[in-house]
Amino acid sequence: MTTHTPGPWHKKGSRVYHQSNPGGLKTDIAECFRDVGGPLPCEANARLMAAAPDLLAALEAVMACNKELGAISRPIGNEARAAIAKAKGQT
């Protein structure tokens, strides 16, 4: 698997994009649309997607700290490892 588009990602309305430098080219990551069958929380979904690179980095940092300190309980550590693997396409 190739790596994801580096963060930070930004949100404007229901659009998620990456901007390599201030005033520079914006690369679209995703855009949320309403489903024909009903309302979809587009802006909330876009907010979560825009936070994804930061959330992954934070979770990896927590797990690295856990490795040093042994401070995270086993069930939480298992969930964290599973989430990291899912984000990296390893599941």
Side-chain angles (χ1 to χ4, degrees):
M1 178 186 141
T2 59
T3 60
H4 65 275
T5 302
W9 292 359
H10 307 280
K11 178 193 100 54
K12 183 170 184 176
S14 61
R15 182 175 159 238
V16 179
Y17 65 92
H18 172 261
Q19 185 172 349
S20 57
N21 55 41
L25 180 65
K26 295 178 181 177
T27 304
D28 284 337
I29 302 293
E31 186 165 359
C32 300
F33 297 97
R34 294 192 182 279
D35 187 20
V36 175
L40 181 70
C42 294
E43 289 200 31
N45 289 342
R47 214 174 18 255
L48 181 60
M49 283 186 269
D54 298 325
L55 293 169
L56 177 59
L59 192 52
E60 288 176 325
V62 165
M63 292 305 293
C65 216
N66 174 57
K67 190 174 181 180
E68 284 186 32
L69 304 176
I72 296 178
S73 72
R74 195 164 294 201
I76 293 171
N78 290 342
E79 290 177 18
R81 279 187 288 282
I84 291 168
K86 185 176 181 179
K88 292 184 170 189
Q90 299 169 347
T91 59

